[in-house]
Amino acid sequence: MVGAGSDYHRQCGTPMKWLTAVRHRSSPIQWIVALITLVVVFGLAACDSGPPPLTAEMPLHLEEHLEAATIVGSEVPSEVPQPVVWSFDEMQPDWKPLPLGQLDVEPTQLAQTDDALRVTLGKSSPGLYKGALGGLYVDLPAWTRDDWAHIEVRARTPDKVREIGLAFNLADKSEADDEDPFPFLSLGELAPVVNDSTVQTYSLRADPSGGPWDGPWLQLIILFLAEEPSSVDILSVTTVPKEAAYAGEAAGVHSEVRNHVYGRALYAHTPGRVEYRVLVPEAGRLDVGLGVLREEPPVTFRVTASSDGGEPEPVLEETYDDRESWGQRSVDLSHLAGKTVDLVLEAESPRPGTVALWAAPTLTGPPALEKPNVIFYIIDGAGAEYMSLYGYNRRTTPNLERLAVEGAVFERAYSNSSWTRPSTASFMTSLQHSVLGGFKGGFNVVPHNALTMAQHMHAGGYQTAVFTANPNAGKLSGLERGVDFHRETWSEFCYLDCENYEESSKYLHEAFWKWRETYPAEPYWVHFQTVDIHNSSRPTVPPFAGTFVSFDEHKTRRDWAIRLVDEAGSTSLYSEAWEKLGISRSFYFSVKQGFYDEGMAHNDYQLGRLVERLKATGEWENTLLIVGSDHSILAAAGLMDLAKQDPLPPRWNKRSLKPHHSPMFRPAVSRIPLLFVWPGHIQGGQRFSGPVVSMIDVLPTILDLVGLPLPEVMQGQSLAPVLLGEGEWEPRPVILDEFRVDPETGELRGLIEVVDGRWGASLEINPDPEEPLEQQRPVPLLLYDLWDSPVALYSVHEEHPDLVEKYTAFLEAQFEAHQALAQYFTPAESTVLTPEQLEMLRSLGYIQ
């Protein structure tokens, strides 16, 4: 009987021993009579006490086994607050311009369009705010502010609107107040605005920010701040109650964020119990985070365990009311090892129906050493061309060089797209960007039925955690699915200051070790994504600051940047201002390159410290480490490889996100590091220069190495045969693609490319007819000889018409196959943008 353990023998052992003894000393007829007697007298059928218990040979995630639980109580309240929605596809006369008469600001104008309310901001006086500002408000029927979770605003603008924010309640002021001239009682959250005309959903918290006030919530106020007179179209405003996400079921699983950490939380309504039948392992322990939606009323959490039908033993009881943090707790169950128990999670509160949250409740025992821990470490924006691991003339990665002695390095590895969101989504699913649906509205998540690496590892019994400093590699892409612990910031106080991204690796590593203290069981899968080098426009932190860029060089570049912006409005590589001002492109971008190199050295140093600590704790020998990247240097440090060309390459090489016109397979765009280390399994010192591989191969490789099933649908291939020196592996061309959905036609527009030995080919699909002539490609397919010109600056399509024909047909067939494969995956909705995520995107250069 699987999982029955000692309880089976305790319940059925005596009659079974008697039956065995009779069998050995009796005739067949006597034994049959004895068997019938046993069934009648002892009730042998009763020995089967139901389904086998849940076991914890590997970490047991209780929230993943809700179907095996018994729910007692936990009734959804009969009256649950519902979201309130104002949709502006029709007139909403209750919304009015915010009165700013006591400020030196032109009045806000409201006008109805076909599908939105257009808010035109008034110009403000230079002494108040340099630019324009305005707002609108609606009267509320005396709400209680603590009942509401957040406000969702769906809006779009092409103008230079910088921020959207909330304010609460009009102030009763008959004349201007010099200390506080604004006409409201409390200012809430502010968030950066995306200015690309796409519809975005901004989520602004209703309860925690802004000063408190006595009394009801009477007015909801939405503010906008802009660099110049601008307009914003508001499509809808929704106020979401705190309990809205929990009103569908008596108990379930929901992702909640506390103190910058997303947790997969099991929830129930008080009074409620969630009962599991489990076999407690040796050294058993239950790790769980306690959470509440509001401070009042508090929730009393209780964990009990009972065996043999005995009295429940309380192993945890605590009243908790901190809505801002997870109350992380560990419960020792080692005294129950080997017993099958009823493990009960119970919650009570003075108000029936109150939601109680149990974050990542995990039952664990001793480390499951037959499975390695997996650390998937992404250095965001790491270009192999600029790492000493790959022969770069600056010593930027000495620790990676030492790791290479213990592992295997792929010399020709590529990302599958040119920047974080499409690339990360691809390597986390082993599916190309066009298969995942392309961009629709800018901030799309991967389809829900496209399983991510975290989901595969979680289903395989792994504890899962993500420590990322780039929201594009997290919730904005739907990559929090299957993650027990998901942290998206590099600092505890990122919302106040997101500018310290050069130290992201340090902060993320600290968060990792805190998580290990809280959830020490093994095996675990961890995804790091650091941004130390992502936005290389200033020196990194000591002792690396000044290593490659002197203070005088930094000052000169900064002064030149100001002059270029004043003269031409930007530091564009192709601006005529360089010659006009006598500024050296090569020097300017070489300084940015120096900042990048300093950041790389810092991240490498921190990675070395992480490995040292893993070795000191004894975890290294059972850890599989993969180091890679989502793209190369171009999206991070600038255009050094182009700036040093004289003359500059043709302007159609200009990098443009809609779509990219220079080939994505250029080394400065997509050649990335790829290193595997697994002590005792992968032979050290291997360097593979022959096979061309890509990040889309990483998911099947990890699953193959740790012995988990491969995805039913995948476009990468496992590199395990190469790494382990066994089995067969057939090299194949690398595919890169990146697409956006035309909002009017629904067509995909973008690039699909191939690296095939000596040749690289880039095919533009459905070119944008509205694109300026000087940015258009000369032909749909550009061809590059990667032997003669490794940096891929000049196309040779005119010299090789036969290859143009070959690769055009090949890439068109690939794109058709991707389109067919995309039918298997249901497009997901766009995600909601929080102020914290938007601020990080701005810090990393994604929002200007």
Side-chain angles (χ1 to χ4, degrees):
M1 178 176 289
V2 177
S6 58
D7 276 7
Y8 176 84
H9 298 285
R10 188 160 41 250
Q11 296 171 14
C12 302
T14 299
M16 289 302 293
K17 290 179 181 177
W18 175 81
L19 182 63
T20 301
V22 171
R23 175 70 183 89
H24 286 295
R25 63 174 182 259
S26 305
S27 67
I29 294 178
Q30 290 175 319
W31 185 80
I32 292 173
V33 171
L35 176 62
I36 295 173
T37 301
L38 181 65
V39 171
V40 173
V41 176
F42 291 100
L44 185 61
C47 291
D48 182 6
S49 57
L54 299 174
T55 59
E57 290 87 358
M58 299 181 74
L60 176 65
H61 307 281
L62 294 179
E63 80 280 5
E64 290 291 304
H65 298 276
L66 196 55
E67 77 287 345
T70 300
I71 311 299
V72 180
S74 189
E75 296 182 0
V76 178
S78 57
E79 295 184 5
V80 177
Q82 297 299 309
V84 176
V85 182
W86 291 272
S87 180
F88 294 103
D89 55 357
E90 58 184 31
M91 290 288 293
Q92 296 287 348
D94 292 338
W95 285 84
K96 310 176 187 71
L98 180 64
L100 297 171
Q102 65 190 36
L103 303 175
D104 191 5
V105 178
E106 296 176 356
T108 302
Q109 302 295 324
L110 304 182
Q112 185 70 35
T113 68
D114 290 341
D115 65 344
L117 180 66
R118 179 157 296 164
V119 182
T120 301
L121 311 180
K123 187 176 182 180
S124 65
S125 65
L128 176 67
Y129 176 80
K130 186 179 179 181
L133 60 85
L136 64 165
Y137 77 96
V138 66
D139 291 315
L140 304 175
W143 286 352
T144 299
R145 187 181 175 198
D146 197 46
D147 290 340
W148 303 90
H150 54 272
I151 311 300
E152 292 182 358
V153 182
R154 294 178 64 242
R156 64 174 178 246
T157 181
D159 298 337
K160 294 183 178 180
V161 180
R162 289 191 56 82
E163 292 181 296
I164 180 176
L166 290 183
F168 304 92
N169 284 15
L170 292 175
D172 183 16
K173 297 179 179 179
S174 57
E175 58 185 30
D177 185 334
D178 291 337
E179 294 185 1
D180 183 11
F182 288 96
F184 44 76
L185 287 180
S186 176
L187 178 65
E189 284 190 319
L190 295 172
V193 170
V194 179
N195 316 93
D196 63 359
S197 297
T198 60
V199 176
Q200 303 295 339
T201 303
Y202 303 92
S203 178
L204 303 165
R205 292 185 65 180
D207 63 337
S209 54
W213 71 83
D214 295 328
W217 184 8
L218 298 176
Q219 285 91 27
L220 165 61
I221 302 165
I222 299 174
L223 300 171
F224 294 99
L225 292 85
E227 296 179 12
E228 59 189 30
S230 304
S231 294
V232 184
D233 287 349
I234 300 180
L235 284 74
S236 65
V237 175
T238 303
T239 55
V240 181
K242 289 185 175 179
E243 284 77 11
Y246 308 93
E249 299 179 88
V253 179
H254 190 266
S255 178
E256 277 280 353
V257 62
R258 294 290 184 276
N259 203 18
H260 308 299
V261 174
Y262 290 89
R264 288 171 47 79
L266 171 66
Y267 70 85
H269 303 270
T270 62
R273 297 156 49 97
V274 183
E275 303 177 355
Y276 292 92
R277 187 166 176 259
V278 301
L279 176 62
V280 179
E282 295 297 322
R285 57 181 279 163
L286 176 70
D287 296 301
V288 64
L290 311 180
V292 294
L293 297 186
R294 59 180 81 222
E295 294 177 356
E296 292 292 338
V299 174
T300 298
F301 292 87
R302 188 177 298 110
V303 179
T304 64
S306 58
S307 62
D308 301 329
E311 288 295 318
E313 173 192 350
V315 292
L316 170 69
E317 183 168 345
E318 180 178 346
T319 299
Y320 194 76
D321 63 358
D322 185 352
R323 68 182 181 189
E324 296 297 321
S325 303
W326 294 116
Q328 196 61 50
R329 304 293 181 260
S330 182
V331 180
D332 184 6
L333 301 175
S334 59
H335 63 290
L336 298 172
K339 295 184 178 181
T340 296
V341 305
D342 292 320
L343 188 66
V344 180
L345 310 182
E346 186 175 359
E348 296 179 350
S349 177
R351 185 176 66 193
T354 299
V355 174
L357 302 169
W358 308 81
T362 307
L363 178 64
T364 60
L369 298 180
E370 68 275 10
K371 296 287 187 185
N373 301 319
V374 179
I375 297 179
F376 184 34
Y377 199 103
I378 299 297
I379 306 174
D380 202 307
E385 302 283 298
Y386 302 95
M387 304 172 79
S388 53
L389 172 66
Y390 287 92
Y392 184 46
N393 60 5
R394 284 175 171 169
R395 196 79 189 280
T396 53
T397 54
N399 286 289
L400 283 175
E401 292 172 55
R402 284 188 281 270
L403 284 172
V405 176
E406 301 183 51
V409 176
F410 286 90
E411 297 278 4
R412 299 186 64 197
Y414 289 84
S415 61
N416 297 95
S417 293
S418 69
W419 66 294
T420 303
R421 196 174 313 129
S423 177
T424 306
S426 286
F427 64 65
M428 283 299 188
T429 60
S430 194
L431 297 169
Q432 299 285 358
H433 187 234
S434 56
V435 175
L436 296 173
F439 292 116
K440 185 178 181 180
F443 290 84
N444 301 98
V445 300
V446 300
H448 289 288
N449 51 345
L451 296 183
T452 68
M453 188 184 297
Q455 288 175 300
H456 284 287
M457 302 303 290
H458 199 273
Y462 277 74
Q463 293 190 102
T464 55
V466 170
F467 302 89
T468 177
N470 190 335
N472 289 310
K475 200 168 186 296
L476 289 184
S477 297
L479 296 175
E480 82 284 3
R481 301 200 297 259
V483 179
D484 297 318
F485 185 98
H486 185 98
R487 186 177 186 84
E488 276 196 2
T489 63
W490 55 81
S491 167
E492 291 287 346
F493 309 103
C494 180
Y495 184 64
L496 300 178
D497 176 17
C498 281
E499 293 300 317
N500 56 341
Y501 51 80
E502 303 96 336
E503 294 187 90
S504 71
S505 57
K506 171 186 172 183
Y507 292 116
L508 296 182
H509 296 175
E510 290 176 358
F512 165 76
W513 288 113
K514 289 179 181 178
W515 174 73
R516 289 295 295 138
E517 292 173 5
T518 304
Y519 287 89
E522 299 178 28
Y524 59 79
W525 171 90
V526 170
H527 167 213
F528 285 102
Q529 192 134 339
T530 64
V531 294
D532 296 29
I533 57 177
H534 194 282
N535 195 15
S536 304
S537 58
R538 64 186 188 183
T540 189
V541 296
F544 300 96
T547 305
F548 303 121
V549 179
S550 70
F551 176 78
D552 289 341
E553 288 172 327
H554 167 44
K555 182 177 183 301
T556 298
R557 192 210 67 88
R558 184 182 58 196
D559 294 343
W560 282 2
I562 294 172
R563 293 175 62 195
L564 286 164
V565 171
D566 289 343
E567 177 68 25
S570 75
T571 57
S572 168
L573 183 66
Y574 286 86
S575 170
E576 297 177 356
W578 298 93
E579 285 76 14
K580 182 177 180 180
L581 297 174
I583 295 176
S584 167
R585 289 185 183 89
S586 179
F587 174 85
Y588 182 91
F589 286 103
S590 70
V591 173
K592 293 198 72 174
Q593 179 68 58
F595 291 156
Y596 178 91
D597 294 343
E598 291 176 356
M600 181 75 80
H602 175 263
N603 200 149
D604 177 80
Y605 167 73
Q606 294 294 346
L607 179 55
R609 293 186 66 193
L610 176 69
V611 171
E612 287 175 4
R613 188 164 175 182
L614 288 168
K615 291 180 177 180
T617 59
E619 294 183 23
W620 177 249
E621 293 303 315
N622 192 44
T623 296
L624 168 62
L625 170 67
I626 305 95
V627 179
S629 185
D630 55 341
H631 54 76
S632 183
I633 184 174
L634 181 61
L639 303 166
M640 183 59 190
D641 61 338
L642 297 181
K644 62 186 179 184
Q645 301 294 315
D646 188 17
L648 288 175
R651 186 170 175 83
W652 46 264
N653 270 287
K654 177 184 176 183
R655 179 175 182 267
S656 168
L657 290 178
K658 300 180 181 179
H660 299 278
H661 292 290
S662 57
M664 289 184 288
F665 54 72
R666 278 181 55 212
V669 179
S670 61
R671 188 186 170 210
I672 49 91
L674 189 55
L675 166 69
F676 289 80
V677 185
W678 189 10
H681 294 81
I682 295 175
Q683 181 180 341
Q686 299 183 85
R687 296 189 79 101
F688 301 109
S689 59
V692 181
V693 300
S694 71
M695 288 296 293
I696 209 168
D697 298 321
V698 172
L699 171 59
T701 303
I702 291 176
L703 296 177
D704 202 0
L705 288 173
V706 303
L708 294 180
L710 298 182
E712 292 183 8
V713 179
M714 64 180 184
Q715 292 181 283
Q717 63 174 332
S718 172
L719 305 176
V722 177
L723 293 167
L724 301 177
E726 57 189 36
E728 296 183 359
W729 184 82
E730 183 179 351
R732 58 188 181 186
V734 163
I735 301 295
L736 304 90
D737 79 354
E738 196 168 306
F739 287 89
R740 66 184 179 91
V741 180
D742 188 296
E744 296 182 1
T745 67
E747 292 181 304
L748 288 183
R749 301 188 188 278
L751 300 180
I752 183 167
E753 301 184 350
V754 62
V755 176
D756 186 19
R758 175 177 182 174
W759 305 103
S762 174
L763 179 67
E764 186 171 13
I765 301 291
N766 297 324
D768 189 347
E770 302 298 324
E771 194 157 45
L773 183 63
E774 68 273 11
Q775 295 184 20
Q776 294 180 12
R777 285 188 169 207
V779 291
L781 186 128
L782 300 177
L783 181 72
Y784 297 84
D785 185 336
L786 302 180
W787 291 2
D788 288 349
S789 179
V791 294
L793 294 181
Y794 294 93
S795 175
V796 294
H797 57 276
E798 293 180 348
E799 292 94 324
H800 299 278
D802 55 333
L803 293 177
V804 169
E805 181 179 359
K806 171 187 174 180
Y807 286 115
T808 297
F810 174 80
L811 290 172
E812 286 177 345
Q814 286 287 325
F815 180 68
E816 289 181 14
H818 292 190
Q819 292 277 271
L821 191 58
Q823 303 305 310
Y824 287 92
F825 301 102
T826 304
E829 297 179 357
S830 294
T831 190
V832 175
L833 303 180
T834 66
E836 182 178 82
Q837 291 166 335
L838 285 158
E839 186 60 42
M840 284 191 287
L841 291 173
R842 172 175 283 174
S843 295
L844 298 175
Y846 290 109
I847 298 177
Q848 301 303 317

